[in-house]
Amino acid sequence: MSSPISATSIVGARPNFVKVAPVARALAASGSFAHAIVHTGQHYEADMSERFFADLEIPPPDVHLGVGSGSHGEQTARMLAGVEGVLLARRPDVVLVYGDVNSTLAGALAAAKLGIPVCHVEAGLRSRDRTMPEELNRILVDQLSEILFTQSREAEANLAAEGIPRERIRFVGNVMIDSLARCRDRAEAMAAWKGNGLARDNYGLVTLHRPSNVDDPDRLASVMRALGKVARRIPLVYPVHPRTRNRLEAAGLTGANGRLALVPPAGYVEFVSLLCGARFALTDSGGVQEETTWLGVPCLTLRTTTERPVTTREGTNRLVDLAGIVPGVEEVLAAPARRVSPPELWDGRAAERIARILAERLRP
Ligand code: UD1
Ligand code: UDP
């Protein structure tokens, strides 16, 4: 029997954990891989990290770099040096990176410089807004990658337009949806809305953490005022990301009320549960735009662009500006809850395809 293909995944932030979970499971199930997980430590609080490993049944990280927070350059540099050390010691056959966070860029750059093939899961997304740190990470990581797995046809087209050779690109579907599909029954059974004193289909779920919405105190105050207005119409539950928590505290804006519940970040199952019971979501998250489309939950995205246009074209997502929040919610409440068919290949089996393709490509 041939020796297993050694694969190392580099992860570090909450969305990475949701994406690596099904891939780790599929690599293990295929029997062709020895898979290691390196955690950079970009997210480190228990409810941003450990709880995801538990909820998503991800094997514990083989290496934890403990890099923590910092400016972009500082944080990425520490991760780059840490990942390089690990890769030099382990010399894997392939490095897998996920999404568009700083851990993704550090992992891809460290591997590519060492001549280790990089495989990017969730390649080809483009917002065309280079003020987003994620957009820079996406463009750079895709340029560094040998194997690019996409979640939509439009992502494939974006890569081809940037001159990435077609044979490197494989449309496999969406690993976020693999995690969501696997968790949905558990999440429904949890009925997390009850624990928050809410009734199913009678509350909105809020997640806002993008620098463009939360870093400027005036903008953040305006966002909170809009949420206050919405909460007079329908209760809101808002699991607050640590970046936002810190900004709210600094701006003295933590005054929630019964109908706008600011709660700690939710674990994955709890979050999916809250999403399943919500009348709508109001978000600036990437993942939540996809999850709401798959679940058929109306989604208002407080951004000027999306790198996931399939969710606005085929799904339940709609971009709004600050002034559009209150009327957007009114429209959602007036319309019947919309159910849609999921986008192509968002079928819960993306990671299986990834494992199969990697085994074909890399088996000696
Ligand atoms: C990162 C990603 C973003 C993603 C988000 C998911 C980058 C550039 N951004 O943004 O794309 O949508 O994760 O959640 O990689 N903090 C804590 N505890 C933690 C983690 C962070 O207190 O466990 C605080 C620190 O003050 C830190 C700030 O949050 O400076 C921002 O964390 P960071 O990981 O740099 O960026 P995110 O805003 O989380
Ligand atoms: N999520 C969670 N708890 C929360 C907020 C989000 O479990 O309090 C999950 C949700 O499934 C989401 C994923 O974490 O899709 C990634 O989250 P985030 O919005 O932080 O990152 P992004 O997708 O914007 O990069």
Side-chain angles (χ1 to χ4, degrees):
M1 207 185 106
S2 57
S3 58
I5 300 160
S6 74
T8 296
S9 286
I10 314 294
V11 296
R14 181 164 74 182
N16 292 155
F17 308 141
V18 184
K19 290 163 199 169
V20 74
V23 174
R25 194 168 297 111
L27 294 181
S30 96
S32 300
F33 295 87
H35 180 221
I37 296 179
V38 176
H39 189 321
T40 64
Q42 178 173 350
H43 287 171
Y44 42 89
E45 290 175 15
D47 53 13
M48 295 294 288
S49 177
E50 271 165 58
R51 196 164 167 204
F52 284 79
F53 279 76
D55 273 14
L56 288 151
E57 298 170 287
I58 308 169
D62 297 82
V63 180
H64 200 303
L65 298 173
V67 161
S69 303
S71 68
H72 284 275
E74 192 188 358
Q75 183 186 54
T76 310
R78 284 204 300 267
M79 297 194 290
L80 183 62
V83 173
E84 184 181 60
V86 175
L87 297 181
L88 279 170
R90 293 182 165 251
R91 284 274 166 201
D93 298 315
V94 64
V95 163
L96 286 89
V97 295
Y98 303 82
D100 55 18
V101 300
N102 286 347
S103 300
T104 314
L105 175 61
L109 188 53
K113 291 257 182 176
L114 293 172
I116 301 169
V118 177
C119 161
H120 187 198
V121 177
E122 199 186 86
L125 300 188
R126 295 291 181 268
S127 67
R128 326 254 174 239
D129 174 2
R130 288 198 182 205
T131 66
M132 288 181 77
E134 295 81 5
E135 184 73 355
L136 300 179
N137 292 343
R138 292 178 196 122
I139 292 166
L140 294 169
V141 171
D142 286 336
Q143 287 296 328
L144 293 166
S145 297
E146 292 280 326
I147 307 173
L148 298 96
F149 290 121
T150 58
Q151 48 74 288
S152 60
R153 294 278 179 204
E154 59 214 7
E156 256 187 320
N158 290 337
L159 293 170
E162 288 175 22
I164 309 265
R166 284 271 179 194
E167 61 276 13
R168 293 192 186 175
I169 309 167
R170 297 296 292 266
F171 172 42
V172 290
N174 192 332
V175 290
M176 287 296 281
I177 303 305
D178 292 9
S179 282
L180 180 59
R182 189 166 190 273
C183 163
R184 179 160 52 171
D185 290 350
R186 250 161 97 207
E188 283 282 4
M190 183 188 251
W193 52 89
K194 288 186 187 163
N196 285 279
L198 299 164
R200 193 190 172 97
D201 286 329
N202 193 28
Y203 65 92
L205 175 62
V206 180
T207 82
L208 295 166
H209 68 275
R210 295 267 161 237
S212 57
N213 281 325
V214 308
D215 279 6
D216 174 56
D218 291 337
R219 168 80 180 182
L220 184 58
S222 304
V223 169
M224 295 308 284
R225 269 197 301 278
L227 295 186
K229 281 187 200 156
V230 174
R232 287 201 281 279
R233 180 77 166 80
I234 180 168
L236 295 177
V237 59
Y238 180 178
V240 181
H241 185 286
R243 170 190 286 278
T244 314
R245 177 195 66 210
N246 296 342
R247 300 294 180 175
L248 286 171
E249 282 170 7
L253 288 168
T254 46
N257 61 53
R259 292 177 63 88
L260 167 57
L262 303 182
V263 298
Y268 182 69
V269 183
E270 183 188 356
F271 185 81
V272 174
S273 184
L274 287 171
L275 208 45
C276 288
R279 183 67 183 79
F280 66 91
L282 171 60
T283 194
D284 57 15
S285 158
V288 175
Q289 295 176 61
E290 298 180 337
E291 291 158 344
T292 45
T293 274
W294 194 80
L295 291 168
V297 174
C299 182
L300 301 173
T301 297
L302 185 57
R303 286 180 39 188
T304 53
T305 58
T306 179
E307 60 291 328
R308 293 161 161 91
V310 70
T311 62
T312 55
R313 212 181 40 250
E314 295 180 27
T316 58
N317 190 22
R318 204 176 110 189
L319 303 186
V320 289
D321 61 12
L322 208 45
I325 293 178
V326 173
V329 169
E330 287 301 340
E331 277 174 39
V332 162
L333 296 181
R338 189 148 72 100
R339 297 286 144 184
V340 289
S341 52
E344 188 181 357
L345 294 190
W346 291 22
D347 60 358
R349 315 196 70 162
E352 281 173 37
R353 294 183 193 102
I354 288 174
R356 201 173 53 241
I357 293 166
L358 282 181
E360 282 163 16
R361 290 256 188 130
L362 299 168
R363 196 174 272 128

